[in-house]
Amino acid sequence: AAVDDIAAVPGGYREVLALREQVLRGGVVQESAAITGHDARHPRTALGLSADRRTLYLVVVEGRSERDSGVTARQLGEVLRGLGAHDGFKLDGGGSSTLFVRGRGVVNRPSDGRERVVATHLGVRVGGARGPSRCR
């Protein structure tokens, strides 16, 4: 099936990102068996896009600690919407949820207590003389 999926990628694309559930669609938090079946609170990682597709939201929610309990998949959609995303997707998460910003290092507290080696990751490089207009 993976080979068929790769063959279905439209021409002109160089990279493909494996997403999980779409937790936010058109500004509406989604209710589906896949999402409501994930009603436990966990560390989560998500990607969101603004309606005009000019703003990318990368979110890591901490969890599994005395300080942070994580969020459900539905709550993750609410977080993305609250930040201004119009569409949003749950990425792989849990103990490996880590957000690294060049110049600052790891900016969250991974629930495993440290970074760990994982097979999936997403890197975003912003080019141009000005760089991003903001990064929080």
Side-chain angles (χ1 to χ4, degrees), residues 90-113:
K90 183 167 81 71
L91 304 173
D92 193 14
S96 63
S97 292
T98 306
L99 183 61
F100 179 92
V101 176
R102 185 173 62 183
R104 293 177 56 196
V106 175
V107 295
N108 72 306
R109 295 181 184 165
S111 66
D112 285 352

Side-chain angles (χ1 to χ4, degrees), residues 21-130:
E21 296 84 20
Q22 186 169 8
V23 295
L24 183 65
R25 180 178 291 135
V28 177
V29 175
Q30 297 299 290
E31 296 287 343
S32 73
I35 293 168
T36 55
H38 290 97
D39 57 358
R41 295 170 67 112
H42 292 290
R44 305 279 185 184
T45 307
L47 174 149
L49 291 169
S50 61
D52 65 5
R53 300 298 195 249
R54 294 180 52 85
T55 303
L56 170 69
Y57 299 89
L58 296 174
V59 175
V60 172
V61 177
E62 297 175 354
R64 296 185 189 150
S65 73
E66 291 179 18
R67 199 183 114 188
D68 301 296
S69 59
V71 294
T72 66
R74 185 184 194 321
Q75 289 170 327
L76 186 61
E78 293 169 356
V79 167
L80 286 166
R81 182 178 61 193
L83 291 170
H86 188 70
D87 293 294
F89 299 88
K90 183 167 81 71
L91 304 173
D92 193 14
S96 63
S97 292
T98 306
L99 183 61
F100 179 92
V101 176
R102 185 173 62 183
R104 293 177 56 196
V106 175
V107 295
N108 72 306
R109 295 181 184 165
S111 66
D112 285 352
R114 60 180 170 72
E115 295 172 70
R116 71 176 187 194
V117 176
V118 295
T120 60
H121 68 277
L122 170 65
V124 177
R125 181 169 188 216
V126 178
R130 292 182 357 155

